[in-house]
Each structure stands twice: as C-alpha cells, then as structure tokens.
Amino acid sequence: AQSVSQHNHHVILSEAASLELGCNYSYGGTVNLFWYVQYPGQHLQLLLKYFSGDPLVKGIKGFEAEFIKSKFSFNLRKPSVQWSDTAEYFCAVRSGANNLFFGTGTRLTVIP
Amino acid sequence: GAGVSQSPSNKVTEKGKDVELRCDPISGHTALYWYRQSLGQGLEFLIYFQGNSAPDKSGLPSDRFSAERTGGSVSTLTIQRTQQEDSAVYLCASSLGGTGRNQPQHFGDGTRLSIL
C-alpha cells in the first residue's frame, strides 16, 4: 500500500536555526511531490511542489525541498527559520492516479 | 478573489443523524476533492470529481458516505446514520484539473464534524 511518512511529529526550534523536515514515501512509480503548510487557524496552502527536472525545488518564504529518488525522500529545508514559520507542515505524494496521499504532518514551533 | 468555501464551519450532531457538508469550489475549477482529517492522522482521500466524468469514490469508507456535484460546481458530502468515528475535519479542495493533472489543489477551511 502507498504511504507517506513524516517521522518528525513535533519540532521545536529557536529563531535563525536551520530546519529539515523528513518525508519518505513508498510508491515506486512516477510521483508528484508536494509540501503543504497550515498556519494556525488557516487552511492548507501549497508551499512547493516537484514534478520533474531539477530535484532541488525552491518554494515560497525561503523553503526548499530535495527529491532523492533512490531514497524515496522529499525533505523540506529552510536555512534560517522565523517565528512566523510556526505551523503544521504536510508532505503529500500523488501517484499515477489523481489522489493525493498525505503524511500525518509535522508541527513546527519556532521560539522567538 | 474567492477561494474554496465550505459550510458549515462546525457541525455537532447526535449519533445516528444524517449530515450534509457543502463545498463551493473556485470558479472555473473542474476538479473537486473531498478529504478528511481525523485526530492524529494524516489527510484521508474520500472522493474526487473531474468535470462530467464518473467520480472516483475509492476513498469513501462506507456506504453511509456519498457525495454529489451538481452542475459541475457545488458539491455536497452526505453522511448517513453518523457514527462517532465519523468525527473529523472534512476538507474540500479544487483545482483546474482536466488534462493538467499536476495542478495544485486549493483547500477550503474545512468543516469540523463532531458526533456526540
């Protein structure tokens, strides 16, 4: 069965610290990869996506993610987090079908 | 511009009652998705509509769940004879869909359903 794993359930960082959130998936075919962010009290928003080409994808607000096919991973990174990055982050994978499979999310808390 | 609108934002009902959840997608979006997020779990796909094609119902957890999309726009998710395990946040998303399968999905704020 297809699955998306986010191993970090809750990450707490101080401002200016570097961030890396893990995402691994189990599907072996062609995949589209996404990171969504949900700020407190808001709906999910697309942070960045990978379809093909350069495996290093840059998104909004200084976020980037690297697709490593051999590791079935799509980790999210940011060199220096801000308090405003406090949110829930969801990794998602779309397989050959149209469905999106989401991970359980990682809660990021940034301490000023 | 207007985003995906869902109503009600919160719904509390007794076990065994039927509920209807509504989703107004972004104008012009032909693809519409329903997901739910139960406490402590990831988003679970429920159903997908694309234009006039037959919907993909593969994610519906039981025959108590059904959804319609009238006129290719507004969608209603109906849960009959609700059970406590139906308590969750139900999210609707829409995208341009069609041949552009890689279009990002735009989510509504969700309906928080609580079954007593």
Side-chain angles (χ1 to χ4, degrees):
Chain A
Q2 300 175 36
S3 68
V4 181
S5 299
Q6 292 182 245
H7 304 294
N8 311 107
H9 298 293
H10 190 188
V11 174
I12 303 173
L13 295 172
S14 298
E15 275 193 319
S18 63
L19 169 72
E20 181 161 2
L21 302 181
C23 174
N24 289 87
Y25 61 94
S26 64
Y27 187 73
T30 300
V31 293
N32 302 143
L33 301 161
F34 306 79
W35 275 97
Y36 286 86
V37 60
Q38 186 173 21
Y39 296 104
Q42 298 185 28
H43 57 79
L44 287 173
Q45 301 172 42
L46 181 66
L47 199 55
L48 51 78
K49 62 185 185 287
Y50 171 80
F51 294 147
S52 63
D54 189 345
L56 184 61
V57 180
K58 296 192 181 297
I60 59 173
K61 303 184 181 183
F63 286 92
E64 65 179 31
E66 185 175 11
F67 170 51
I68 302 179
K69 188 174 181 179
S70 61
K71 295 185 178 180
F72 296 89
S73 70
F74 190 56
N75 292 356
L76 181 71
R77 299 195 294 251
K78 185 171 183 177
S80 176
V81 295
Q82 301 173 322
W83 175 79
S84 58
D85 293 326
T86 295
E88 190 94 17
Y89 292 81
F90 293 90
C91 178
V93 178
R94 175 182 288 149
S95 65
N98 291 291
N99 301 355
L100 268 180
F101 294 92
F102 282 80
T104 53
T106 297
R107 177 167 296 179
L108 173 65
T109 300
V110 180
I111 302 171
Chain B
V4 177
S5 176
Q6 291 187 244
S7 61
S9 55
N10 281 284
K11 177 71 175 179
V12 181
T13 192
E14 294 180 346
K15 176 182 173 180
K17 300 288 187 182
D18 297 350
V19 294
E20 283 189 354
L21 311 180
R22 177 187 169 103
C23 173
D24 282 90
I26 292 173
S27 178
H29 281 191
T30 59
L32 187 147
Y33 305 75
W34 282 98
Y35 300 86
R36 72 175 176 182
Q37 183 176 15
S38 302
L39 186 64
Q41 299 185 25
L43 285 177
E44 175 187 4
F45 166 76
L46 297 178
I47 188 168
Y48 162 65
F49 294 90
Q50 172 53 58
N52 296 322
S53 302
D56 177 356
K57 303 179 181 180
S58 60
L60 295 178
S62 76
D63 59 7
R64 296 186 294 106
F65 287 72
S66 62
E68 292 183 343
R69 189 177 185 194
T70 55
S73 180
V74 172
S75 177
T76 302
L77 177 69
T78 301
I79 309 173
Q80 296 178 310
R81 306 181 301 282
T82 52
Q83 303 294 314
Q84 287 186 332
E85 60 263 27
D86 299 334
S87 296
V89 175
Y90 288 81
L91 288 162
C92 176
S94 71
S95 73
L96 286 173
T99 56
R101 292 190 310 151
N102 295 335
Q103 296 294 332
Q105 298 183 19
H106 301 262
F107 284 82
D109 291 336
T111 294
R112 184 175 295 276
L113 177 62
S114 300
I115 308 301
L116 303 178

